Amino acid sequence: MPEPSTRETRPGQEHFVAPPDEVEVLATDRLDETAAPTSVWRDAWRQLRRNPIFLVAAVLIAFVLLVVAWPGLFTDLDPRYCSGDFSMRPPGGGHPFGFDKQGCDIYARTIYGARASVATGVGATLLFVLIGGTLGAFAGYYGGLLDSIVSRVAEIFYALPLMLAAIVVMQLLESRTIFTVMLTLASFSWPQAARIARAAVIQAKNSEYVTAAKALGVSRFRTLIRHVLPNSAGPLIVVSTISLGVFIVTEATLSYLGVGLSRTIVSWGADIAADQKEIRTSGILFYPATALALTVLSFILLGDAVRDALDPKARKR
């Protein structure tokens, strides 16, 4: 067997290999075996903690939820107590926002109005995720006839504008409560959640960990619940956070038009509708409208921050 040919190297091109005991191993070259394994959710939380927009939105949302849960911490007045003797009185004497035309304390009604408006938005969002997310996940994972049926039904509902459909349905109902409003909003908005969940599940079910689960004999339903859904929930969480603010605005709009919550329920939309005639003579409309705007803005900013954290590519676009 011929010996391998050798060639002379030019000066400065020689190769030297240092002994292993003389090579210094830097800290960046060492593998920390004690470190906890990272995940998408842990990386997202680390990103969110450094995002000032998320922090501001989270503080505002926490304050709103505190008002919703315990309004008695902020006022001891009854929002339903009204007296004509106090009609249009200016702020003062423990009434920082003054009184409206009916003699109701505006501050108390603004505080207690958060409960109905936010509760409607949260309930509609939960139904939105439950109905649309479940149908979309099963349709995307199992495919076939189920996927065709869900897709066609979703396209039918997509042809119906949410606001127009809600106005028509709410006019037909005699009892307009928080439950009826959130059920109506979820009934005509679930196709959006279904489409997002379907696309995320289709992308996740072709991953290697799903193939490994099948090879280990895990059933399809268990694979969907334990592996596919947790890894495809990010887009659905983002859209549900943004949709919560949209539902709050929609409820206020329906109440403003007189087809939302009953007048006996204190809500921001009802107060805006009742005070619209005084917009040129006083600023009482400013308080419920500002509370509504800040709440909706907080949820939208929170949704944007969560989207950027779960989708790093969105920050580079």
Side-chain angles (χ1 to χ4, degrees):
M1 183 173 180
E3 297 181 357
S5 60
T6 59
R7 61 179 182 178
E8 297 181 357
T9 58
R10 297 180 181 180
Q13 293 185 348
E14 299 86 355
H15 299 279
F16 298 95
V17 179
D21 54 349
E22 296 182 4
V23 178
E24 180 182 2
V25 180
L26 302 178
T28 55
D29 299 329
R30 296 190 180 97
L31 178 62
D32 188 4
E33 299 180 356
T34 62
T38 184
S39 64
V40 176
W41 301 104
R42 185 176 287 107
D43 291 341
W45 173 242
R46 189 181 299 111
Q47 178 68 29
L48 288 173
R49 288 184 301 178
R50 296 194 297 264
N51 190 342
I53 296 179
F54 169 78
L55 297 177
V56 173
V59 170
L60 290 176
I61 292 174
F63 176 75
V64 171
L65 295 180
L66 182 64
V67 173
V68 171
W70 296 284
L73 296 176
F74 302 90
T75 179
D76 56 355
L77 300 176
D78 186 0
R80 296 183 178 85
Y81 176 76
C82 304
S83 176
D85 297 335
F86 302 106
S87 178
M88 301 302 294
R89 279 195 180 183
H95 306 280
F97 295 168
F99 296 86
D100 59 11
K101 193 172 184 179
Q102 302 299 325
C104 306
D105 185 81
I106 299 176
Y107 175 74
R109 293 187 65 86
T110 302
I111 292 296
Y112 279 88
R115 173 171 291 181
S117 299
V118 176
T120 303
V122 171
T125 303
L126 292 177
L127 293 176
F128 166 81
V129 174
L130 181 62
I131 299 173
T134 302
L135 292 177
F138 277 93
Y141 187 73
Y142 289 100
L145 180 61
L146 178 61
D147 187 17
S148 300
I149 294 176
V150 172
S151 299
R152 300 296 82 77
V153 174
E155 290 175 357
I156 295 174
F157 277 87
Y158 253 116
L160 303 174
L162 174 61
M163 182 61 66
L164 179 60
I167 292 175
V168 173
V169 172
M170 294 303 297
Q171 284 182 334
L172 300 176
L173 299 177
E174 297 181 359
S175 176
R176 298 196 295 267
T177 62
I178 294 178
F179 179 76
T180 56
V181 173
M182 47 170 141
L183 183 60
T184 301
L185 295 179
S187 299
F188 293 97
S189 60
W190 67 266
Q192 182 182 9
R195 282 194 171 185
I196 293 176
R198 175 181 177 273
V201 168
I202 289 177
Q203 182 179 5
K205 76 175 184 179
N206 296 321
S207 303
E208 295 180 354
Y209 55 84
V210 176
T211 305
K214 293 179 180 179
L216 293 174
V218 181
S219 64
R220 297 189 67 186
F221 180 77
R222 191 176 180 182
T223 302
L224 172 64
I225 299 299
R226 295 193 58 182
H227 301 287
V228 177
L229 287 182
N231 289 280
S232 58
L236 192 59
I237 292 176
V238 173
V239 72
S240 62
T241 306
I242 298 176
S243 297
L244 200 156
V246 174
F247 290 144
I248 294 177
V249 171
T250 306
E251 180 277 322
T253 305
L254 293 174
S255 299
Y256 178 82
L257 297 175
V259 294
L261 297 174
S262 174
R263 294 295 183 182
T264 59
I265 301 176
V266 181
S267 68
W268 289 332
D271 288 348
I272 293 174
D275 300 333
Q276 60 176 326
K277 296 181 181 179
E278 311 299 329
I279 188 173
R280 295 184 179 181
T281 58
S282 65
I284 59 178
L285 184 65
F286 171 79
Y287 302 108
T290 301
L292 174 65
L294 289 177
T295 302
V296 174
L297 179 62
S298 300
F299 282 107
I300 292 178
L301 291 178
L302 180 67
D304 289 340
V306 174
R307 179 198 60 194
D308 293 342
L310 293 177
D311 185 13
K313 295 180 181 179
R315 299 193 297 269
K316 302 178 181 179
R317 294 171 185 170

